[in-house]
Amino acid sequence: MVSPIDHDTAMAIAAAEYDRGAALLDRLDAAHWSAPTVNDGWDVRATVGHMVGMMAMMSSAGQLVRQQITAQWAARRSGAPVSIDELTAFQVRSNAGLTVEQLLGRYRALTGPAVRGRRRLPAFVRRRTLPERQLVNGQLERWTVGYLADVILTRDPFMHRLDIHAATGLEPVVTAEHEGSIVDLVVREWAGRHGEPYTVELTGPAGGLWSTGGPPVKLDALDFCRIVSGRPAVSTAPEPAGLLAVGVPF
């Protein structure tokens, strides 16, 4: 997989997403932090610990190497085919000892360095293939560094922001300009992954109509992203059957 958008556009979306996350965290009260999310074993606090860990990973070459090596060794020991679960678990553990205020401070302090770390990746590096394959729809596939940096590392905090909204009941801020740009890329990748005729009408400010003439599906734009990520919908929506069962990595 390669990045479908130019690097400067991707970094503008990334910066906006980190800002969205910071605004959400500022709205959380004491009870929200222990609310369970759809991610097994993760409450809101653990979710933010992962988000902070991922931002730290991209803030410096040293953090990137340390986290990747730690996760890959753990995956080898456990026999896991990919190391992403070991990586995220390491990030949660690394931040588990922080107070909520310290965690909030880390998030705010890392927004700039995380974007800069992603932005400064040169084109020849972004074109390189990651050494480890990734598991999507039951198949191992190759990603470029650019796809990871430009797409996945923005989708990940976007989806976890939605996880926190679902866990706390706080209404998300949704615009066509920001969330709509993320949803559009998700729909287009989903369509490319299944390769079948489709018609998808997504409602809400981030929605729109995408069609190549297939049977119509109508649902909330954020729920579409939740479903193709493997999560349950929050609003009333179709079960993840047929083409909706085709996953998109987040």
Side-chain angles (χ1 to χ4, degrees):
M1 294 296 296
V2 300
S3 176
I5 53 176
D6 72 85
H7 191 53
D8 288 341
T9 300
M11 292 305 97
I13 298 171
E17 181 52 40
Y18 288 143
D19 288 345
R20 282 280 206 270
L24 169 60
L25 298 188
D26 285 341
R27 296 169 61 192
L28 300 181
D29 62 28
H32 287 147
W33 289 91
S34 60
T37 72
V38 296
N39 301 289
D40 289 345
W42 284 11
D43 57 11
V44 168
R45 195 194 184 291
T47 301
V48 177
H50 154 62
M51 295 167 72
V52 166
M54 197 66 83
M55 294 163 71
M57 185 182 76
M58 297 310 299
S59 68
S60 72
Q63 275 281 344
L64 178 62
V65 171
R66 174 174 175 255
Q67 290 198 34
Q68 290 292 327
I69 289 176
T70 299
Q72 288 167 9
W73 272 110
R76 289 191 186 102
R77 288 195 301 269
S78 68
V82 294
S83 63
I84 184 61
D85 288 343
E86 302 290 355
L87 175 64
T88 58
F90 171 75
Q91 292 165 344
V92 172
R93 289 196 306 272
S94 296
N95 291 306
L98 299 179
T99 66
V100 167
E101 284 305 314
Q102 288 171 330
L103 198 58
L104 288 170
R106 287 284 288 161
Y107 186 101
R108 296 187 188 104
L110 285 167
T111 53
V115 174
R116 288 194 295 273
R118 293 163 62 180
R119 179 180 288 121
R120 68 185 173 218
L121 290 169
F124 77 91
V125 172
R126 299 197 305 272
R127 289 193 295 267
R128 289 181 178 175
T129 301
L130 292 170
E132 182 180 83
R133 292 185 293 173
Q134 306 300 313
L135 187 63
V136 183
N137 293 314
Q139 302 291 325
L140 290 170
E141 63 182 32
R142 292 289 185 186
W143 292 357
T144 63
V145 173
Y147 176 71
L148 175 67
D150 290 354
V151 178
I152 295 299
L153 291 179
T154 297
R155 277 187 195 159
D156 181 69
F158 164 71
M159 183 52 65
H160 287 309
R161 179 163 61 90
L162 297 188
D163 292 339
I164 294 170
H165 280 292
T168 61
L170 296 173
E171 285 295 320
V173 174
V174 185
T175 66
E177 180 181 14
H178 177 63
E179 286 76 9
S181 65
I182 296 174
V183 170
D184 178 67
L185 289 175
V186 172
V187 173
R188 294 180 187 281
E189 182 175 328
W190 168 79
R193 285 182 175 278
H194 63 67
E196 300 290 336
Y198 70 96
T199 296
V200 172
E201 181 182 354
L202 301 182
T203 59
L209 178 66
W210 295 259
S211 179
T212 59
V217 173
K218 182 176 181 179
L219 67 160
D220 176 79
L222 301 185
D223 275 343
F224 175 84
C225 291
R226 291 183 177 105
I227 290 170
V228 299
S229 77
R231 289 164 169 79
V234 171
S235 307
T236 301
E239 291 297 318
L243 295 182
L244 286 178
V246 176
V248 174
F250 280 78

